[in-house]
Amino acid sequence: MRSEKLNSWIFSSKNIENIEAAKERLIWGFWDREAGEKFRRNWRTFIRLYNRIKPFDIVVFQIAKSGHIHAVGIVKEKYFDDQAPIWPDEKEKGQVLYPWRISFSNIIFSKTLITTHFIKVENYVDGYGIGELPEHDLRTILNELQKRTDIELNFG
């Protein structure tokens, strides 16, 4: 039995295609520090959060700025510097743009909206699209997923 507290996270994407690609490959990625000045200023905050992600943590995937939630996943592991282009903009440019990767044991994905939920994320890192998700917000999202799919969920 696991005794340590699991964390829950929110990962934001600019479009549903990126979330669908994550579901297909069971991988998510984040910008590197060298991505540009806009992101560089938030690098340390991003790394602090990234380093806290651990196996079995729960991740909710949303479309940035809309609150549209399309997926929920369970973290398997994290690693750096994968050189396989996965997302559409990486394939278009022929290079890896998001080398800070997280793999998943599973992802529940829906092209149709699971729910819209605007989440107050205190430790959200703009430009990296990552934030801590409070437990009550996670439970609200999982309850909505359960209602829409008629699948019973129990995350303890």
Side-chain angles (χ1 to χ4, degrees):
M1 210 181 234
R2 295 182 56 83
S3 60
E4 61 185 89
K5 180 188 177 300
L6 295 178
N7 296 314
S8 52
W9 306 94
I10 190 147
F11 293 176
S12 296
S13 174
K14 63 183 176 184
N15 59 48
I16 195 169
E17 290 80 18
N18 290 341
I19 297 172
E20 189 168 18
K23 182 265 307 177
E24 290 169 3
R25 300 285 298 270
L26 293 175
I27 292 175
W28 192 253
F30 295 98
W31 294 100
D32 195 24
R33 176 176 41 190
E34 304 308 314
E37 240 0 272
K38 177 181 176 188
F39 305 117
R40 194 173 296 148
R41 67 183 154 85
N42 294 331
W43 175 251
R44 286 184 185 193
T45 308
F46 161 71
I47 281 298
R48 258 185 256 122
L49 287 182
Y50 179 86
N51 284 336
R52 290 185 39 224
I53 297 170
K54 60 189 178 306
F56 304 106
D57 282 356
I58 300 170
V59 174
V60 171
F61 295 86
Q62 76 168 6
I63 305 298
K65 301 177 184 171
S66 72
H68 293 175
I69 295 172
H70 288 276
V72 177
I74 306 295
V75 173
K76 183 177 180 182
E77 66 179 332
K78 62 184 175 192
Y79 55 98
F80 172 68
D81 208 20
D82 186 342
Q83 292 303 306
I86 293 174
W87 291 273
D89 54 345
E90 287 183 326
K91 289 178 179 179
E92 183 181 300
K93 293 180 180 180
Q95 67 181 35
V96 172
L97 303 173
Y98 315 106
W100 291 85
R101 303 279 171 96
I102 294 174
S103 66
F104 291 85
S105 56
N106 58 52
I107 293 177
I108 298 168
F109 170 81
S110 174
K111 280 191 180 189
T112 60
L113 184 66
I114 293 172
T115 188
T116 298
H117 190 78
F118 287 96
I119 302 164
K120 260 191 171 173
V121 183
E122 300 201 3
N123 290 327
Y124 186 80
V125 184
D126 192 32
Y128 285 92
I130 181 176
E132 293 178 275
L133 184 63
E135 186 176 341
H136 66 279
D137 285 331
L138 174 65
R139 291 199 179 279
T140 299
I141 293 163
L142 293 178
N143 286 338
E144 194 60 36
L145 175 63
Q146 185 170 327
K147 278 192 257 179
R148 290 185 184 260
T149 62
D150 200 29
I151 295 172
E152 293 186 26
L153 303 169
N154 183 355
F155 283 96

